[in-house]
Amino acid sequence: MHTPPHLRRALIVPMAALALAGAVPAPPTPARAAAGDDAVDSTWLGLGYNQDPLFRGSGDGSPGNDEWPGTEFGKLTERTDYISPGLVRIMVNRPWFNPSGTVGSYDWDTPQMKNVFRILAHYKEQGTNVVTGMWGLNDRAFYTSPEAATLQADLVRTFRAKGYTNVVRYNGINEPNNAKGLKYADWVTATANLRTAFGRAGLSADLIGGPDTAEAGIAAQEGDLGLQSVPVEAAGTEQNLVWKKAGLTGFSARFYRTPDADGVHWTFQASKNGTQWTDVDLQQTPPVKTNATTAWYRVDVSPRAFPGGSKYLRLTMPPRPGIERAVSAVTLFTGGGATTDPMNDLTRTDSHSAGWTYPGGSSTDDWWLQSALDREVAQSEAHFYVHEVDLGSPPDYPEGTLTEAVRQLKAASDGGSVILGETGMKAPGDDPDKDYSFTGEYAHGVRMADLAVQEARAGVDGAMAWCLDGYDEDVQCGMWDHFQPLSPATLRPWFYTWSLLCRYLPPGTRMYAPPQPAGVRVLKAKLPGTKGWTFVLVNRTTTAARVSITAPTGRIDLDKYVYSPDNAPTDPATGFPKPAEHLSATFDDGKELSVGPNAVAVFTTTV
């Protein structure tokens, strides 16, 4: 939904925006939790994955140019039916349907498009919603042209004409902010063109999501999408901000800087009239390194004393070549209380000096937040990867990082849903060769379960893993590799945990984030309707853990699935997980559940 900025605060984006009215039923309404409990503010749309729809087995043609054989398609869908994803992302390549390169001249009967349609039809039959977009629109001149929008609208209109109403979101091109030479203004232009083209094609503009940006770097600033930064190229000149608030008695502010951890690189001054300024004596915390491969350092600042009668507060970033600095949430205190500026939009008496990047300005780097503020799309969507393989230890930052990012996005859009179109682990060192061999390790099953629990606790409404079965012969990132036979032996370990979480955290689930012991992730989930409960424990420590869970369950029967180094029961014919045990219990007054070291335990109501 696109709304002029002066009206954007008056409208509410529907929380069930993924489902098109009259086409796809909205997820079941989850049970609401009482105020003050540990309920997560989300409308859960499910976990899923990214899928290459092409058949990659041996054949007379090049890989990807053959249609799915019936036997192989049956094996594929047996697996995806078991996983039961809530959301699947399927990207389309332009040459699959537009080999001529002429907009308006299409071939919908290519082997590639036959495969796409066959998979979409199966997901429609299964009730699975699909997010899509297009690879390869990287030429700026074409991407921002009306012809590119027409091409994309024609693709989505064809999906609709063929009855694939389960295609509920179109996100445009993949990661427009990542090495494509595009600016936010280019994406805005392309998105405006899409709205126009969708309207001509009889498609709802609410189908358009995004911005589909790469957001792994937000871990460096702990999820604050709205901070205002003085980047390296502007760091050699002085930069200023001024706020005005009658009756100022104090303030607090959070800063980030990189690459150094030492030195003071900012000053604050107070004023009664905006012309005569008094330096404020500051106290600040020692620098704290954030969790990312390129870390920033966090410093919290407050005054030891504040000049009485002040009405203005000025922040000065003095020249410091080579050092990027950013100011995050600022809180102004008065006798009447506190006003917090989580997205840096307090009323200013002076415009920003030219060197800042910030939401709301022409130089914004925060596409995700800015697109929500501008109501460019009906649903916020981006990509978030974790650097655990590089860090060498289990990171706690996904939950905190995403909690802050989701909070800002939902505040900006008055509650619009937030999904992750891609999620998972970055290849080591952002390796240009994309060595995903770590996906074959036992530990990756624990890593991915850990990530899913942190994302669900953070308030994300859905997340799709990268990836189902690989996208390239040399990038074997999936739960299995589509160049190998579809036998149980080819399933990678993380299929075990990700399939369980997709399956037993279905759309419409109500998430809860209870307290967690150190090194243990805990999620409790009320399933939609009368389906019962799921409890997930992920233990990142080397000793067994017991966690007390309290929930209004009454007596319920549960299957316990275990993923541990010495116990992960499977059906030998399929490789699918089997329960390790069954139990009957009530959680109304609390009950302890156990999980082994470096292991995952999923307890779910017996079907």
Side-chain angles (χ1 to χ4, degrees):
M1 178 189 304
H2 180 68
T3 305
H6 69 283
L7 294 179
R8 66 191 182 204
R9 292 290 180 188
L11 300 180
I12 297 177
V13 177
M15 291 293 285
L18 262 182
L20 296 177
V24 179
T29 302
R32 300 299 300 180
D37 64 15
D38 50 10
V40 175
D41 183 15
S42 66
T43 297
W44 187 247
L45 302 167
L47 292 172
Y49 44 75
N50 285 252
Q51 181 175 357
D52 181 350
L54 302 191
F55 174 64
R56 298 291 189 173
S58 60
D60 295 333
S62 301
N65 289 345
D66 296 332
E67 294 182 46
W68 277 94
T71 54
E72 295 300 293
F73 190 78
K75 294 175 184 177
L76 169 72
T77 55
E78 180 185 28
R79 290 182 175 183
T80 59
D81 289 354
Y82 175 79
I83 297 171
S84 299
L87 294 170
V88 175
R89 180 172 180 252
I90 297 175
M91 297 292 283
V92 177
N93 267 295
R94 181 182 181 183
W96 297 354
F97 69 96
N98 185 221
S100 69
T102 300
V103 175
S105 177
Y106 307 121
D107 183 354
W108 303 110
D109 292 321
T110 64
Q112 295 92 341
M113 289 310 298
K114 287 180 178 178
N115 288 333
V116 171
F117 296 147
R118 190 175 184 185
I119 285 177
L120 291 178
H122 183 80
Y123 281 131
K124 180 183 177 183
E125 181 182 338
Q126 298 300 309
T128 300
N129 285 340
V130 174
V131 175
T132 191
M134 194 175 296
W135 297 114
L137 298 183
N138 296 342
D139 178 77
R140 178 181 177 275
F142 181 70
Y143 170 61
T144 56
S145 70
E147 290 77 14
T150 297
L151 176 82
Q152 297 170 83
D154 288 345
L155 173 66
V156 179
R157 179 170 57 182
T158 299
F159 288 153
R160 278 288 181 270
K162 289 182 175 292
Y164 305 131
T165 50
N166 55 321
V167 176
V168 296
R169 187 64 49 203
Y170 184 84
N171 286 335
I173 69 169
N174 179 70
E175 297 186 350
N177 65 332
N178 191 4
K180 292 181 173 65
L182 299 174
K183 298 184 180 299
Y184 177 74
D186 297 325
W187 178 82
V188 170
T189 297
T191 303
N193 289 341
L194 269 182
R195 283 191 296 272
T196 299
F198 272 42
R200 285 199 306 264
L203 301 167
S204 169
D206 282 355
L207 275 169
I208 302 170
D212 206 63
T213 46
E215 298 287 350
I218 65 174
Q221 296 155 2
E222 301 173 311
D224 190 341
L225 303 175
L227 54 79
Q228 298 179 74
S229 175
V230 179
V232 170
E233 56 267 26
T237 58
E238 181 178 287
Q239 305 293 335
N240 295 281
L241 295 175
V242 178
W243 291 275
K244 179 182 179 181
K245 192 75 173 176
L248 270 176
T249 59
F251 70 93
S252 65
R254 172 162 287 184
F255 287 89
Y256 294 92
R257 60 180 178 229
T258 189
D260 74 327
D262 300 315
V264 175
H265 309 318
W266 45 76
T267 61
F268 279 96
Q269 295 174 304
S271 175
K272 296 179 181 179
N273 55 20
T275 57
Q276 297 173 302
W277 297 92
T278 301
D279 289 348
V280 178
D281 183 21
L282 301 177
Q283 58 186 359
Q284 54 192 46
T285 60
V288 175
K289 187 177 181 180
T290 60
N291 288 292
T293 51
T294 303
W296 286 50
Y297 295 85
R298 179 185 75 245
V299 179
D300 290 316
V301 176
S302 60
R304 289 189 175 92
F306 195 76
S310 295
K311 189 176 181 180
Y312 299 87
L313 180 69
R314 179 166 71 184
L315 164 64
T316 299
M317 297 285 205
R320 183 78 180 204
I323 303 299
E324 184 169 0
R325 289 152 290 166
V327 59
S328 178
V330 175
T331 300
L332 304 181
F333 297 99
T334 67
T339 302
T340 300
D341 176 23
M343 290 181 290
N344 305 303
D345 57 3
L346 289 176
T347 299
R348 293 187 275 280
T349 58
D350 293 346
S351 61
H352 290 68
S353 48
W356 294 87
T357 63
Y358 61 100
S362 60
S363 59
T364 181
D365 287 333
D366 303 299
W367 296 29
W368 201 9
L369 178 60
Q370 191 63 53
S371 63
L373 284 165
D374 291 343
R375 300 297 174 84
E376 289 289 341
V377 294
Q379 175 180 270
S380 292
E381 183 273 342
H383 303 170
F384 181 77
Y385 285 86
V386 178
H387 293 276
E388 178 171 344
V389 180
D390 282 309
L391 295 174
S393 60
D396 294 318
Y397 71 78
E399 183 174 342
T401 293
L402 289 170
T403 297
E404 178 61 20
V406 169
R407 184 187 66 78
Q408 291 187 16
L409 289 163
K410 291 191 175 183
S413 64
D414 289 332
S417 57
V418 178
I419 63 173
L420 301 178
E422 294 180 18
T423 195
M425 304 291 150
K426 295 290 284 185
D430 236 355
D431 183 353
D433 296 327
K434 296 185 178 179
D435 178 6
Y436 280 90
S437 58
F438 61 86
T439 61
E441 301 168 358
Y442 162 81
H444 199 56
V446 183
R447 293 183 196 117
M448 289 298 288
D450 184 352
L451 178 59
V453 168
Q454 292 195 57
E455 289 173 347
R457 288 174 59 98
V460 169
D461 296 302
M464 289 166 278
W466 186 269
C467 54
L468 179 69
D469 57 357
Y471 273 78
D472 184 274
E473 189 169 7
D474 299 319
V475 185
Q476 299 171 355
C477 55
M479 289 180 269
W480 63 88
D481 181 1
H482 59 190
F483 283 91
Q484 295 179 351
L486 294 177
S487 68
T490 63
L491 288 171
R492 293 196 174 102
W494 71 282
F495 168 83
Y496 200 101
T497 54
W498 198 259
S499 66
L500 288 173
L501 296 181
C502 289
R503 189 175 176 84
Y504 296 120
L505 297 173
T509 294
R510 180 66 171 171
M511 301 297 177
Y512 297 82
Q516 305 177 119
V520 181
R521 322 295 188 207
V522 182
L523 180 69
K524 63 182 185 182
K526 174 67 175 68
L527 305 183
T530 59
K531 294 182 179 179
W533 291 81
T534 293
F535 309 116
V536 184
L537 307 179
V538 183
N539 188 357
R540 304 309 306 268
T541 76
T542 56
T543 58
R546 297 187 67 84
V547 178
S548 180
I549 300 289
T550 302
T553 62
R555 182 157 295 277
I556 54 175
D557 294 322
L558 296 169
D559 288 330
K560 178 181 181 180
Y561 292 86
V562 173
Y563 179 79
S564 71
D566 55 1
N567 187 24
T570 61
D571 180 331
T574 61
F576 299 164
K578 287 177 56 178
E581 61 179 282
H582 307 279
L583 60 149
S584 180
T586 178
F587 293 79
D588 295 74
D589 298 318
K591 176 176 174 55
E592 283 194 342
L593 297 176
S594 63
V595 59
N598 298 310
V600 180
V602 177
F603 303 80
T604 189
T605 305
T606 303
V607 178

